[in-house]
Amino acid sequence: MGVIDKVKARVAAPVADTLPNAELPLDSIIMQDCITAMRALPAKSVDLIFADPPYNLQLGGDLSRPDGSHVDAVTDDWDKFDSLNAYDVFTRAWLTEARRILKDNGAIWVIGSYHNIFKVGSAIQDLGYWILNDIVWRKANPMPNFKGTRFTNAHETLIWASMGEKARYTFNYRSMKTLNDELQMRSDWEFPICGGQERLKRDGVKVHPTQKPEALIYRILLACTKPGDVVLDPFFGTGTTGAVAKRLGRRWIGIEREAGYCSAALERIEAALPLDESALVTMQSPKSAPRVAFGTIVENGMLTAGAVLTDAKRRHRVTVRADGSVMSGDVTGSIHKLGSTLQNAPACNGWTFWHYETPDGLKPIDTLRQEYLLATQP
C-alpha cells in the first residue's frame, strides 16, 4: 500500500458538494482542496478558524548563504501563484467560505508575512469581518538576511477578526493575564521558530518548511476558545493546530491536500497527550466569574463588623460595618468607593486593595472571596 493509500484509509473522506448539511468530520483530516472542502461544510458550524495560508513568497531563484550552502526555503508548488491577482482571487474565495461556516460569535486568525498579510487584511475587511488585533510574532531566532540587502525578517503578523463590528466573540482575558504573570497580554509575542524535537523531520529533512511552533497556537486557542469548541484549520500542514487542540480539549478539523503532510499530521496528533481535565479549568474573567458582594463575606462571618482593613503598605485604614460598607473617620462607602476616595483615584478594586491581618501577615480580602467561591460553587 502506497503513502497516499495509507493516508486515505485514515482520513475523513472528501466532503461531497452534494451534502451541504453533512455532519462535521470532527477530529479528522479532509484530504482535499480547502475551498472545495469548506464549501461543503455546514453553515455556522465552526467556533474558530486558524489559517496559515500560502504566503506567495515570490522567491526569485535559489537562496544561498555566503559560504555557498543552500538555504532551505519555501519552493513548493502550493506556494506559487501566477500573479498577485490570482492570489487575491484565491484569498477572497477561501475567506468567503470561512465566513460562511463560522458561527455568528466565531472568529478567525490568519498568519502571514509582508508578502501576503496586507492583501489578506484588505480582503478580511472587504468581506465584512471586523479586525480586533494584529499580533506581531517576534521570532527569537530568525533566519539572517544572507545577502545583506534588507533588514532581517524577524517577525510575522497575525490578524484576529470577529464576524462584524457588533459581533460577540470569545476572549479569555483572565487566562491571558494569568499566562503573562498577571500582566495584560500585549500584542507582540516572542517565540522561537520551530526547531529541536518539535520540528518534524524525515530522513533528516524537514517535513514542512513553515511548521509553526505549538506555543503560538496554544496561546491563540487558550485565548479565543473554550473546551469542546470546534477549531478548523484549512491549511493543516503537519497538524500543529490539531495537536494543540487535542491537548486543550478542543475539537478540530483539518483540511490538507498533500498526502505526505496528512500522514505526518496524523502520526503527530495520535501521539499528542490531552491535558488532565482539571488542568483545563482556566481562570475565569471578571465578567464570567460569579459575583460576590463584600456584604456576603461579612454575613458569613469571614470578616466581622469592626474588623480593620488596611492597604498593603498600611497607609490607609477602614473599619468594616455590619452592612458590608466600610468607614474611615466620618466617611463611609463601599470597599471600592472608599478605596478610590482615600487615594484620590478615579477607581479602585477594593478586593485587591484592602487587606486583613492574619497570623501570616496581611492578605488581600480577595482571598476570602475565593475561599467563599470554593466552598459554595459546585
Side-chain angles (χ1 to χ4, degrees):
M1 183 182 289
V3 173
I4 293 180
D5 292 329
K6 289 180 180 178
V7 171
K8 284 183 176 179
R10 299 170 63 200
V11 301
V15 182
D17 291 333
T18 56
L19 297 173
N21 296 316
E23 292 186 4
L24 288 175
L26 296 175
D27 304 328
S28 60
I29 304 172
I30 305 169
M31 195 168 71
Q32 194 173 27
D33 167 76
C34 72
I35 297 172
T36 303
M38 283 195 290
R39 191 172 288 153
L41 292 174
K44 302 183 187 301
S45 59
V46 170
D47 296 289
L48 186 84
I49 291 176
F50 173 81
D52 183 8
Y55 286 9
N56 191 26
L57 293 178
Q58 311 139 46
L59 297 178
D62 291 337
L63 295 178
S64 300
R65 297 181 177 87
D67 63 3
S69 60
H70 178 70
V71 176
D72 184 16
V74 182
T75 55
D76 304 83
D77 288 340
W78 51 257
D79 193 59
K80 297 176 182 177
F81 293 82
D82 292 336
S83 64
L84 293 177
N85 182 65
Y87 187 80
D88 286 341
V89 171
F90 165 75
T91 298
R92 290 175 182 273
W94 76 258
L95 281 171
T96 296
E97 291 307 317
R99 182 170 175 79
R100 185 186 64 81
I101 62 177
L102 275 170
K103 296 177 181 177
D104 291 337
N105 61 349
I108 187 169
W109 283 76
V110 187
I111 187 170
S113 69
Y114 71 88
H115 303 87
N116 72 322
I117 198 63
F118 302 107
K119 286 183 167 293
V120 170
S122 177
I124 281 176
Q125 290 182 310
D126 289 346
L127 291 171
Y129 295 94
W130 187 258
I131 295 178
L132 299 167
N133 273 117
D134 66 322
I135 302 294
V136 173
W137 166 30
R138 190 158 59 91
K139 301 175 181 178
N141 53 342
M143 182 185 297
N145 182 273
F146 294 108
K147 293 184 178 180
T149 56
R150 303 184 187 183
F151 296 109
T152 297
N153 293 324
H155 77 277
E156 292 184 28
T157 301
L158 299 101
I159 294 174
W160 173 35
S162 66
M163 293 291 282
E165 182 178 2
K166 306 291 186 179
R168 294 180 177 272
Y169 55 91
T170 296
F171 179 50
N172 300 316
Y173 168 82
R174 185 64 207 171
S175 294
M176 288 297 96
K177 193 171 182 181
T178 303
L179 192 67
N180 197 38
D181 199 21
E182 291 304 313
L183 297 174
Q184 279 194 347
M185 185 71 75
R186 293 161 39 124
S187 62
D188 53 333
W189 300 352
E190 183 174 357
F191 298 104
I193 59 177
C194 194
Q197 292 185 338
E198 187 181 340
R199 168 66 76 172
L200 300 186
K201 292 185 178 182
R202 281 181 176 162
D203 300 323
V205 178
K206 295 177 183 177
V207 174
H208 196 290
T210 64
Q211 181 182 335
K212 296 299 183 290
E214 288 193 7
L216 179 69
I217 312 301
Y218 186 100
R219 183 173 295 183
I220 291 170
L221 297 193
L222 192 65
C224 297
T225 62
K226 302 181 292 294
D229 278 358
V230 177
V231 180
L232 172 74
D233 186 335
F235 307 96
F236 202 54
T238 54
T240 304
T241 301
V244 175
K246 180 180 177 182
R247 287 174 57 200
L248 289 175
R250 278 63 168 166
R251 310 302 298 271
W252 58 271
I253 302 170
I255 301 174
E256 176 55 56
R257 68 184 188 186
E258 304 290 335
Y261 294 161
C262 289
S263 176
L266 284 168
E267 184 176 344
R268 175 187 189 180
I269 294 168
E270 287 176 357
L273 297 176
L275 296 178
D276 182 84
E277 186 175 349
S278 62
L280 295 176
V281 181
T282 56
M283 294 191 70
Q284 295 176 299
S285 70
K287 290 183 179 179
S288 62
R291 292 183 62 85
V292 178
F294 180 63
T296 302
I297 303 300
V298 178
E299 284 179 331
N300 284 271
M302 301 177 79
L303 275 176
T304 58
V308 174
L309 306 178
T310 71
D311 65 294
K313 295 184 178 180
R314 302 182 189 274
R315 294 171 298 184
H316 304 289
R317 293 167 56 91
V318 294
T319 302
V320 176
R321 297 174 30 147
D323 61 358
S325 64
V326 289
M327 177 175 60
S328 176
D330 296 330
V331 182
T332 62
S334 71
I335 56 172
H336 312 295
K337 179 64 176 176
L338 204 53
S340 64
T341 299
L342 293 174
Q343 296 178 87
N344 195 27
C348 172
N349 181 348
W351 289 109
T352 55
F353 179 74
W354 294 115
H355 292 61
Y356 68 104
E357 197 74 55
T358 76
D360 299 321
L362 290 177
K363 288 187 178 181
I365 58 174
D366 192 48
T367 304
L368 299 174
R369 179 171 63 164
Q370 299 305 321
E371 289 178 5
Y372 175 80
L373 287 172
L374 287 173
T376 59
Q377 299 302 310

